[in-house]
Amino acid sequence: NSLQNLPGQILLNQIPINRVNSTKFLGLYIDERLNWNTHLIYLNKLVSRNAGVIYKLKSFFPRNILIMLYSTIILPHLNYGILAWGSSARINIDKILLTQKRILRCIFGCNSRTHSNPLFLESKILKIDDLFSMNLGIMMYKLNKNEIPPVLEFLFKKNNEIHNYLTRQRNMYHLPKTRLRLLQNTFVYKGPKFWNSLNFMLKQIPGFYTFKRKLKLDLISKYSGDE
């Protein structure tokens, strides 16, 4: 594993750089194994702490205000950097999902055994996995409209840029062939894969905000079960 075979000491201008388990950069904790565990533990604690405000106010404000409060003090933290960490270790993602469920049960005044899907559906709040998908869709939509930074555009290619075969998939995005789980879990791989899976008509929507709204509705429509 290349991450385990780093040199013992790295010098910058002849000054040794201390090795640490993790470091905070632009609000994200990057750990030495690049698995985002440190950041997700921090994020879950932050979200849980902010949820305390909702717990304290649930008896004083109606449900719609509590949902707005969720969008103000919880959602921005979940969205921040999600393209980087959104497909990391399942155990940490599930912990954030459990925190989301606890918050929604609080908002709706339900007990801990209440099925959460109807609560996500009624509140129009996305689960953490679907929030990741939402951000992937937005990124790929902007890529198609040439609205992402040029420095990122070279990371994505369509099949017709790879070969000239007249196939039905020629206008889909090319998925890089790799067995490395590290690459398969990045937005460089996940983004094209998710975009290719979307309904053709959804991808053709000309307006960004209409696309965003319909994509969210599509993701939320899955919450019809009794999970």
Side-chain angles (χ1 to χ4, degrees):
N1 189 323
S2 59
L3 294 178
Q4 295 176 334
N5 295 321
L6 295 174
Q9 187 177 71
I10 299 176
L11 301 178
L12 181 62
N13 294 329
Q14 303 306 311
I15 300 174
I17 298 176
N18 293 328
R19 178 169 179 170
V20 295
N21 294 327
S22 65
T23 186
K24 193 173 185 180
F25 180 70
L26 298 178
L28 298 176
Y29 282 95
I30 303 174
D31 57 76
E32 62 181 347
R33 294 185 180 276
L34 300 180
N35 57 23
W36 299 104
N37 286 352
T38 302
H39 180 72
L40 290 176
I41 292 171
Y42 158 78
L43 177 61
N44 197 39
K45 289 180 179 178
L46 176 62
V47 169
S48 297
R49 185 172 69 245
N50 286 6
V53 176
I54 296 177
Y55 299 152
K56 291 177 181 178
L57 296 178
K58 65 178 180 178
S59 302
F60 303 99
F61 291 98
R63 185 179 302 161
N64 65 310
I65 298 299
L66 297 177
I67 292 173
M68 289 176 59
L69 194 56
Y70 173 94
S71 297
T72 302
I73 65 175
I74 302 294
L75 184 58
H77 295 294
L78 297 180
N79 270 321
Y80 187 72
I82 195 172
L83 288 177
W85 55 259
S87 61
S88 52
R90 188 71 246 170
I91 186 172
N92 289 322
I93 296 295
D94 283 342
K95 287 179 181 177
I96 294 177
L97 178 59
L98 286 174
T99 299
Q100 284 186 295
K101 291 179 179 181
R102 282 196 295 269
I103 297 172
L104 278 181
R105 287 174 179 135
C106 170
I107 290 174
F108 282 85
C110 302
N111 63 49
S112 60
R113 295 187 178 183
T114 301
H115 294 305
S116 64
N117 271 359
L119 309 183
F120 282 101
L121 184 63
E122 185 173 343
S123 63
K124 294 182 173 58
I125 288 176
L126 290 172
K127 298 179 183 180
I128 188 65
D129 291 291
D130 293 315
L131 195 59
F132 175 55
S133 295
M134 182 78 181
N135 279 271
L136 286 176
I138 290 172
M139 177 192 69
M140 297 304 296
Y141 183 88
K142 289 183 176 180
L143 173 65
N144 273 271
K145 298 292 185 179
N146 298 313
E147 295 176 359
I148 69 169
V151 70
L152 295 177
E153 289 183 357
F154 81 96
L155 295 172
F156 306 95
K157 292 187 180 298
K158 289 189 175 181
N159 287 332
N160 58 22
E161 298 178 62
I162 305 298
H163 58 69
N164 294 320
Y165 303 141
L166 297 177
T167 64
R168 293 174 58 187
Q169 289 79 32
R170 67 187 310 271
N171 289 319
M172 290 187 175
Y173 278 92
H174 178 71
L175 297 181
K177 294 181 179 180
T178 177
R179 295 181 180 180
L180 295 177
R181 185 176 297 273
L182 186 63
L183 178 58
Q184 291 177 358
N185 284 337
T186 65
F187 68 86
V188 176
Y189 188 92
K190 293 280 188 178
K193 185 176 182 180
F194 178 70
W195 184 259
N196 290 346
S197 72
L198 291 180
N199 178 277
F200 175 79
M201 296 303 296
L202 179 62
K203 292 187 283 189
Q204 298 305 307
I205 293 175
F208 170 72
Y209 291 104
T210 303
F211 167 81
K212 186 177 178 181
R213 178 173 57 84
K214 289 189 176 295
L215 175 58
K216 183 177 181 180
L217 289 175
D218 276 2
L219 293 169
I220 288 176
S221 68
K222 299 185 301 181
Y223 305 157
S224 57
D226 290 329
E227 183 181 331

